[in-house]
Amino acid sequence: MELVNVNRRSFLKMTGIATGGLILGWHVPKFAIAATLENPKALNAFLQITPDSQVMIYSPNPEIGQGVKTSMPMIVAEELDADWEMVTVRQAPIDPIFGRQSAGGSRSINTNWDNLRNAGGSAKHMLLQAAAEQWAVNANECRAKLGYIIHNPSGKKLSYGSLVERAANQNVPAPSDLTLKSFDEFTLLGKRIGGVDNLAIVTGQPLFGIDQHKEAMSYATFVKSPAYGAKPKKANLDEIKKLPGIKDAFIVKGAKTPRQLAHGIAIVATSTWAAFKAEKALVIEWDNSNAASDTYSEMKAQAEKLALKASSNQKLLNKGDAVTGLKNAAKTVSSVYSYPYIAHTPLEPMNCTAQWQDGKIEIWAPVQLPQPAIGLVSRITNVDPADITLHQTRVGGGFGRRLANDYVMEAVAIAQHVKGPVKYTSTRESDTGHDFYRPSAFFTFNGGVDEQGKITAWQEHFITMGGNKKANGPAGRRTTVFPAPLINNFELSQSIIKSKMPIFALRAPQSNGLAFPIQSFLHELSTLAGRDHLEFLLEVLGESKWLDEGNKDSLHTGRAAEVLKLAAKKSGWGKKLEKGRGMGMAFYFCHSTPVAQVVDLSVDENKKITIHKVTIVGDAGPIVNLSGAENQCQGCVIDGLSVVMGQEITFTNGVVDQSNFHDYPLQRMPGVPEIESHFIQSNYPPTGLGEPAYPPFAPAFCNAIADATGVRLTHLPINKLGYSI
Amino acid sequence: MPIYNLSINGKSITTSNIESDTPLLWLLRDELNMAGTKYGCGKGLCGACTVHMNGNPIRSCQIPVAALGEQNITTIEGIASDNKLHPIQQAWHDLDVAQCGYCQAGQIMSAVALLKETPKPTDEQIEQSMAGNICRCGTYVRIKQAIKLAAGIEDNTAKKMDYSLAKEVK
């Protein structure tokens, strides 16, 4: 927990000038380890060094479980040649000096890579200059190692702490003057490094947004309409205000969209429990005139009808001649796939603490996009962004839910009516019923193979829910998804089922849905051709090249082939399996990282599935934190398992039918398999894993079931078909 | 409002400012400012609020203050002793179990109770005892490894860190 917040002004003041007193990184009462930094000096915005050689590194981006609070400072420490044992990490304040401070798109590492390396390298350069000055030698006779500058000819050494005063007076080098390490010189990156908050987590220290505690704080909750987008007309507020512990209850007028600020009723109380209890006593009359009235079963029936057609007039991609390709095929196969709406459900419910006083707003929030949160609050309140301070807390899960800042604005809207700070906590039921969901889609595929077992045509009718004229964002279907760019006769058309139900990005947007039908149907084609899926995939990938030459965020077929081959090798692909056992393979590429997965499982006659092992191979360039990378891979597989086995959001007349973990289940420990992760550390700048490792699980899993049983699963979730784990 | 005399982490606590139906969870979080115990579902479904009552794991969101009597309550803040982490906490730390970390206090409390009852649990016993605790990030593989590490059960899939920040507990 940050006790002292260093804002930009004090930063500038601190640069090169000793600051007296203590700066507390995080407070662990019984287990105080390096929690005090005395007289630190800033060598740049990212790092400070104390005279006793402790190094404090700011982690700029939100920590949502993806591990950046550890991995981003590691990159700084690597180029600084710091001793990691001497490093303390703090969450950075929100400041343009840190660039775009966000958690989304698996981009924290790749977009900050150069900046973080330069921050470490620049400080090291200044320390080298300082040592050379002190010894009156040439700086190129010196080297840095584990917190010391060493004079090579004499072997003399000086600690970073002893040099920091002099280093702070050196010129800051231009990034072009820095010699950064080659990847094979890394000594810290690629190691397994424990999370910097681990001790605080295991001892229950307050870290998260929901843990914020302020003097004289009120507690609140916010009640939104059952049907998405309705307005409260009237409510029994006078009765509610008389309930024990209730300080106030009032109607909050929403903004233009519920993603900015929903209409609703705020209850302010002396405790969260009092507010939650009062919510149950609320009687509200809603104005549903602008609310959603969609019913999922009706939309599904409409989708099923549309899915009878192989194509629509709205073509997204039309390469070659798929219709003729199908006619000329030796064999053809046709399938309809679907997946449902799903919710994000991070375990820390939506919450935010805010104080609105004397025209200034102070916010403590677990968010993925803190800078846009300030922008949203400013736009809606007309308070100047300079008068809005947002403190980032650790985030109890993001998964894309916290890319929307609706709950921040809700807290601010409540705080306007409250004297002193107020902590707003949403109930689990409200979170489940008022999410911005991953939309459902249906797919009709027709594909063919020739006598040699090569694909002759791919015809796909994509039926998406939740878009309007165009299906953008999470409801869209990118035309670059493998294998579309590599198939000559490819026709992709789209139909849109309009809906007012709210949709938004969820971990690996689009890809989280698209991977299952597309990579499953690709397996149907290799099965139709009677070919091994690995060999078939490698043939489709063809020669090694970038699909978009010069664009390192495009698919490189050679890197794809390598992850597939290694996954096959590590999983024992091709081995003879007993009856009822099967292996499934899938490849997916998104967020610049190619990933292959192989699932090895058995299915018994009661459709009970036992997963023996999941093998996952990614090429994210050099791995920053091996422990974090493995964690992300395990998490992606288990998240995928939840989705495949039992998650489905449905709605009736605009009201979501699910409310809590009994009807929206998450995977629990029983049934969780062994998960083995491998990384091809190719010599490209590092990319993320928190999203790319997620999409391939569902198709690899269902391909394995097809291999084990001959049954092709085409609709998620599969518990609806009687499967269990 | 009635007065309650409670025993939490070995300390006697008297509270006179709380409704009798307030769940222990909210007494801890809002009244006593002990935020380690987490709210996840409010229905006893996710285990994030797990604490011990006389050493047994309970869901604190389901137990009203009035039902506590003088039972001994232990929370995540109270399982380390003599400034030394509990072996389960140490294992969680050493194997870098957490991703977001939000559920881990509840997971740890369930695991501590398991090892107290069953010092050398089988895989199946671990799975059954931990089935009430949800981890949205999916850290179950490491949770199981950490329980085995703390119990002294060999598991060659577990990987220790090369470095941990703040690894020494003084």
Side-chain angles (χ1 to χ4, degrees):
Chain A
M1 185 177 165
E2 287 260 332
L3 296 185
V4 176
N5 195 344
V6 181
N7 62 27
R8 188 170 191 197
R9 208 170 47 228
S10 52
F11 235 134
L12 297 173
K13 235 195 292 181
M14 195 183 293
T15 310
I17 303 164
T19 54
L22 294 181
I23 292 185
L24 301 182
W26 33 275
H27 183 58
V28 186
K30 278 189 188 167
F31 309 102
I33 306 99
T36 60
L37 295 169
E38 294 190 34
N39 302 317
K41 265 187 192 294
L43 294 185
N44 54 54
F46 284 90
L47 67 93
Q48 299 169 16
I49 299 175
T50 65
D52 61 351
S53 292
Q54 293 188 57
V55 178
M56 192 290 290
I57 303 177
Y58 274 121
S59 186
N61 286 17
E63 174 59 68
I64 62 173
Q66 83 284 44
V68 292
K69 195 169 174 185
T70 306
S71 58
M72 294 180 89
M74 281 174 68
I75 299 168
V76 177
E78 175 70 62
E79 289 296 341
L80 179 63
D81 274 308
D83 178 357
W84 187 250
E85 302 283 334
M86 297 295 281
V87 170
T88 299
V89 173
R90 259 193 262 154
Q91 188 73 55
I94 302 302
D95 193 301
I97 206 164
F98 294 109
R100 188 167 166 265
Q101 294 173 277
S102 67
S106 290
R107 292 172 66 76
S108 285
I109 295 296
N110 64 350
T111 58
N112 290 285
W113 177 244
D114 291 337
N115 261 349
L116 295 168
R117 295 182 82 195
N118 286 339
S122 163
K124 182 170 75 179
H125 180 94
M126 290 157 78
L127 289 159
L128 281 162
Q129 294 296 332
E133 195 178 282
Q134 191 155 330
W135 286 324
V137 300
N138 198 320
N140 61 19
E141 292 174 17
C142 305
R143 71 179 199 276
K145 194 181 176 188
L146 280 179
Y148 288 89
I149 302 294
I150 299 162
H151 182 235
N152 294 327
S154 66
K156 287 187 289 194
K157 63 178 190 177
L158 286 166
S159 71
Y160 285 3
S162 68
L163 287 166
V164 70
E165 183 92 33
R166 201 185 277 269
N169 293 323
Q170 302 296 320
N171 292 329
V172 176
S176 55
D177 289 342
L178 297 176
T179 312
L180 299 177
K181 293 178 179 180
S182 62
F183 295 174
D184 58 7
E185 289 174 302
F186 291 159
T187 56
L188 181 64
L189 301 192
K191 295 266 195 311
R192 288 194 178 86
I193 307 296
V196 296
D197 281 337
N198 279 356
L199 190 60
I201 289 169
V202 303
T203 53
Q205 302 306 315
L207 282 171
F208 298 92
I210 206 169
D211 299 342
Q212 300 307 303
H213 181 84
K214 311 290 161 204
E215 280 302 310
M217 183 170 77
S218 300
Y219 301 82
T221 196
F222 187 63
V223 184
K224 298 176 224 181
S225 59
Y228 176 76
K231 278 184 203 173
K233 260 199 276 197
K234 58 179 179 183
N236 59 339
L237 297 178
D238 290 335
E239 276 171 46
I240 296 297
K241 284 185 218 173
K242 285 180 202 146
L243 293 173
I246 300 304
K247 293 178 164 183
D248 201 0
F250 48 89
I251 289 177
V252 171
K253 188 175 174 295
K256 199 171 152 203
T257 70
R259 203 155 85 201
Q260 297 174 323
L261 172 63
H263 299 283
I265 290 172
I267 302 171
V268 183
T270 54
S271 74
T272 310
W273 173 247
F276 282 4
K277 215 173 124 187
E279 174 176 349
K280 292 192 182 125
L282 259 179
V283 181
I284 311 164
E285 197 182 316
W286 297 99
D287 168 6
N288 280 315
S289 53
N290 284 313
S293 59
D294 305 302
T295 295
Y296 183 65
S297 58
E298 290 167 8
M299 288 165 66
K300 197 174 155 190
Q302 203 184 335
E304 281 164 350
K305 208 169 150 193
L306 284 165
L308 297 172
K309 293 183 185 149
S311 68
S312 78
N313 293 331
Q314 198 182 345
K315 300 281 186 287
L316 298 178
L317 185 65
N318 207 351
K319 273 198 301 178
D321 185 344
V323 174
T324 306
L326 283 169
K327 262 187 212 147
N328 295 340
K331 292 182 202 167
T332 60
V333 61
S334 177
S335 268
V336 175
Y337 284 77
S338 77
Y339 48 78
Y341 280 79
I342 57 172
H344 299 86
T345 59
L347 204 59
E348 180 188 10
M350 296 308 108
N351 70 87
C352 177
T353 302
Q355 178 162 12
W356 190 336
Q357 201 171 297
D358 306 329
K360 291 188 165 68
I361 299 173
E362 193 165 7
I363 299 163
W364 296 263
V367 286
Q368 290 182 247
L369 297 176
Q371 287 149 332
I374 293 169
L376 173 69
V377 170
S378 173
R379 276 200 308 284
I380 296 188
T381 60
N382 287 320
V383 172
D384 191 284
D387 290 329
I388 301 169
T389 306
L390 188 148
H391 307 272
Q392 296 192 74
T393 68
R394 193 175 175 91
V395 184
F399 311 103
R401 173 61 185 88
R402 289 179 162 101
L403 294 168
N405 285 308
D406 54 321
Y407 56 97
V408 175
M409 196 49 235
E410 285 159 8
V412 170
I414 296 168
Q416 186 172 20
H417 295 259
V418 178
K419 196 162 177 280
V422 57
K423 175 158 71 179
Y424 154 49
T425 305
S426 162
T427 60
R428 170 59 55 193
E429 287 77 11
S430 180
D431 273 10
T432 308
H434 298 96
D435 197 350
F436 305 95
Y437 305 93
R438 192 286 306 274
S440 165
F442 279 65
F443 300 75
T444 300
F445 293 106
N446 283 282
V449 294
D450 63 17
E451 296 290 355
Q452 286 75 45
K454 291 183 197 300
I455 298 173
T456 61
W458 179 299
Q459 189 184 38
E460 176 180 337
H461 183 196
F462 170 58
I463 300 145
T464 182
M465 299 185 193
N468 278 309
K469 276 187 186 150
K470 281 184 179 172
N472 289 326
R477 196 300 192 195
R478 269 188 292 272
T479 57
T480 51
V481 171
F482 171 81
L486 294 158
I487 291 175
N488 294 329
N489 299 316
F490 198 105
E491 184 204 288
L492 170 62
S493 61
Q494 174 178 270
S495 295
I496 298 172
I497 295 171
K498 289 182 189 173
S499 169
K500 271 193 175 176
M501 292 307 287
I503 59 169
F504 205 40
L506 181 144
R507 188 179 215 169
Q510 291 194 10
S511 302
N512 60 46
L514 297 173
F516 161 64
I518 294 171
Q519 305 311 322
S520 294
F521 188 65
L522 197 52
H523 186 233
E524 285 203 65
L525 288 175
S526 66
T527 307
L528 180 72
R531 294 174 63 181
D532 172 73
H533 196 49
L534 171 66
E535 180 250 335
F536 185 78
L537 289 174
L538 294 176
E539 184 187 88
V540 172
L541 285 165
E543 60 167 335
S544 177
K545 63 173 183 190
W546 295 100
L547 284 190
D548 180 10
E549 190 55 50
N551 175 6
K552 289 201 166 99
D553 291 321
S554 73
L555 173 64
H556 187 282
T557 54
R559 296 176 78 181
E562 291 308 313
V563 295
L564 278 163
K565 285 191 264 186
L566 188 61
K569 190 177 158 197
K570 296 290 182 183
S571 63
W573 180 259
K575 70 186 171 194
K576 204 167 154 44
L577 302 169
E578 61 270 24
K579 194 172 176 290
R581 186 165 178 173
M583 288 174 91
M585 173 182 278
F587 168 77
Y588 200 81
F589 173 77
C590 64
H591 300 85
S592 315
T593 304
V595 178
Q597 287 193 27
V598 175
V599 176
D600 178 356
L601 53 71
S602 295
V603 187
D604 74 10
E605 58 274 20
N606 299 317
K607 297 186 176 177
K608 176 141 173 67
I609 300 163
T610 304
I611 309 177
H612 305 294
K613 192 168 132 183
V614 178
T615 307
I616 176 162
V617 178
D619 177 359
I623 293 297
V624 174
N625 183 357
L626 187 53
S627 178
E630 288 165 342
N631 243 343
Q632 291 308 303
C633 288
Q634 291 171 4
C636 282
V637 165
I638 291 165
D639 197 356
L641 199 52
S642 287
V643 167
V644 172
M645 288 311 304
Q647 292 188 339
E648 180 174 35
I649 288 289
T650 60
F651 37 86
T652 308
N653 298 322
V655 182
V656 168
D657 300 319
Q658 290 72 27
S659 63
N660 207 320
F661 296 123
H662 64 287
D663 53 13
Y664 191 76
L666 286 168
Q667 182 63 41
R668 294 168 185 269
M669 189 187 278
V672 165
E674 181 188 347
I675 301 164
E676 196 180 285
S677 318
H678 300 276
F679 305 102
I680 294 176
Q681 303 205 32
S682 64
N683 211 21
Y684 298 103
T687 52
L689 279 162
E691 293 174 280
Y694 174 53
F697 177 76
F701 180 81
C702 292
N703 291 348
I705 290 174
D707 187 49
T709 64
V711 176
R712 172 59 57 182
L713 299 180
T714 52
H715 300 282
L716 301 184
I718 65 169
N719 64 340
K720 297 259 151 47
L721 306 164
Y723 288 87
S724 66
I725 196 153
Chain B
M1 274 183 274
I3 292 171
Y4 296 105
N5 294 307
L6 306 166
S7 164
I8 298 175
N9 295 334
K11 282 186 206 140
S12 297
I13 288 169
T14 303
T15 171
S16 57
N17 190 29
I18 191 146
E19 292 283 323
S20 59
D21 64 350
T22 304
L24 172 59
L25 169 68
W26 295 110
L27 168 78
L28 292 169
R29 292 188 57 84
D30 289 356
E31 201 59 32
L32 304 178
N33 193 19
M34 294 167 70
T37 305
K38 296 293 191 271
Y39 167 60
C41 70
K43 294 275 163 65
L45 298 165
C46 76
C49 68
T50 305
V51 300
H52 294 172
M53 185 191 273
N54 301 328
N56 299 314
I58 56 159
R59 311 293 180 222
S60 64
C61 74
Q62 296 298 297
I63 309 280
V65 174
L68 289 176
E70 289 178 14
Q71 321 271 4
N72 291 314
I73 301 299
T74 309
T75 72
I76 186 70
E77 291 93 345
I79 54 168
S81 56
D82 302 330
N83 287 356
K84 195 168 177 289
L85 293 179
H86 186 283
I88 282 283
Q89 290 174 305
Q90 191 69 50
W92 244 251
H93 177 268
D94 291 352
L95 294 185
D96 194 29
V97 169
Q99 286 181 36
C100 87
Y102 191 76
C103 72
Q104 300 298 350
Q107 303 276 4
I108 287 170
M109 294 311 284
S110 290
V112 168
L114 165 66
L115 290 197
K116 198 168 162 237
E117 187 79 9
T118 313
K120 300 273 177 196
T122 62
D123 276 24
E124 205 185 330
Q125 284 171 324
I126 294 174
E127 287 169 15
Q128 290 314 317
S129 299
M130 300 303 291
N133 290 80
I134 288 175
C135 175
R136 171 67 177 91
C137 299
T139 62
Y140 300 116
V141 174
R142 290 192 181 186
I143 288 173
K144 199 194 268 186
Q145 290 170 341
I147 291 171
K148 289 182 175 180
L149 177 65
I153 300 167
E154 200 182 330
D155 179 353
N156 56 18
T157 65
K159 287 158 183 160
K160 283 232 189 177
M161 298 301 108
D162 295 301
Y163 295 101
S164 294
L165 198 65
K167 69 177 179 187
E168 285 174 34
V169 176
K170 288 169 189 163

